Amino acid sequence: MGDATEDMQQASKLPEGDVIRILLEQHARISTLFTDVHEAIGTARASIFAELRAMLVVHETAEQLVLRPESKKVAGKDVADARVEEEVEATKVLADLEKMDVNSAEFHAKLTEFQKSVDAHAEAEENDEFPAILAGCTAEERQSMGRLLLATEELAPTRPHPTTAGHTVATVLTLPLAAIVDRTKDAISKAG
């Protein structure tokens, strides 16, 4: 992943609502959240990590359901499958991080390694998938994908679910219930 500024510059070159613009903007936000988690302390770190965790889970769920099917067509099955595998691994690491004390040295070390893998994953998307989507899909198709991506994110869970990660059918079947449970847990966490 480029830095947040670079991702936003690339995004600004595309029309509002274009799926690639949305994803680049989200990559920029994720990059910023990682920095914010590293710099925060105490309860602020926990709060920012919860926001990062939710954003990553929602983002990856939507990519798997909306972007990957199209990527298989225009970038190839190997490219799409590699990104799914990276997301499955990320879901497992994120689930581990969620159980840790965010102010521990162990959390910091694991988060640093996790950030490197997320950056590499985003960079692979930006280099291998996004150009193929831009070249292989019309502007109207990308707008439609953008709307579908945002709608999917509204229904997506906000916490990692390693047992369904990478399994499109399982993700679709558990999406509504997992999202309700996760968003309820999030509200309870914020309340107290």
Side-chain angles (χ1 to χ4, degrees):
M1 175 178 342
D3 66 18
T5 304
E6 184 180 315
D7 287 340
M8 289 304 290
Q9 286 172 344
Q10 285 183 310
S12 71
K13 296 175 184 173
L14 297 167
E16 284 285 337
D18 185 294
V19 70
I20 302 303
R21 179 180 180 142
I22 294 166
L23 293 171
L24 285 167
E25 289 170 345
Q26 290 178 355
H27 284 183
R29 179 70 184 136
I30 289 165
S31 180
T32 299
L33 284 170
F34 267 113
T35 300
D36 292 349
V37 171
H38 285 294
E39 292 175 355
I41 56 172
T43 57
R45 179 177 284 161
S47 177
I48 297 167
F49 175 70
E51 183 181 350
L52 173 64
R53 180 211 67 229
M55 179 149 197
L56 283 167
V57 172
V58 166
H59 174 82
E60 298 302 343
T61 299
E63 280 186 335
Q64 285 179 26
L65 297 176
V66 176
L67 187 70
R68 292 290 125 58
E70 199 59 40
S71 288
K72 280 185 182 179
K73 294 177 199 171
V74 297
K77 184 178 180 334
D78 291 344
V79 168
D81 288 350
R83 299 301 76 78
V84 170
E85 271 307 306
E86 293 161 2
E87 291 165 352
V88 169
E89 186 56 34
T91 300
K92 292 174 189 173
V93 174
L94 200 52
D96 290 343
L97 282 164
E98 188 177 39
K99 297 173 193 166
M100 299 170 77
D101 174 1
V102 297
N103 293 303
S104 69
E106 181 185 23
F107 175 86
H108 179 73
K110 192 166 189 92
L111 183 71
T112 300
E113 280 303 307
F114 180 58
Q115 182 177 3
K116 289 176 188 173
S117 68
V118 169
D119 286 349
H121 170 75
E123 191 172 312
E125 287 176 342
E126 292 171 13
N127 291 333
D128 300 337
E129 280 185 296
F130 293 4
I133 295 288
L134 287 167
C137 299
T138 66
E140 293 80 19
E141 289 169 329
R142 294 193 317 271
Q143 288 288 323
S144 178
M145 289 171 66
R147 287 188 298 276
L148 184 57
L149 184 96
L150 293 173
T152 301
E153 287 179 346
E154 288 296 317
L155 301 172
T158 59
R159 294 171 181 260
H161 295 272
T163 57
T164 59
H167 304 288
T168 303
V169 173
T171 299
V172 169
L173 293 175
T174 61
L175 203 64
L177 179 59
I180 290 168
V181 170
D182 289 355
R183 291 170 195 266
T184 301
K185 286 180 183 178
D186 292 344
I188 291 167
S189 292
K190 283 183 183 175

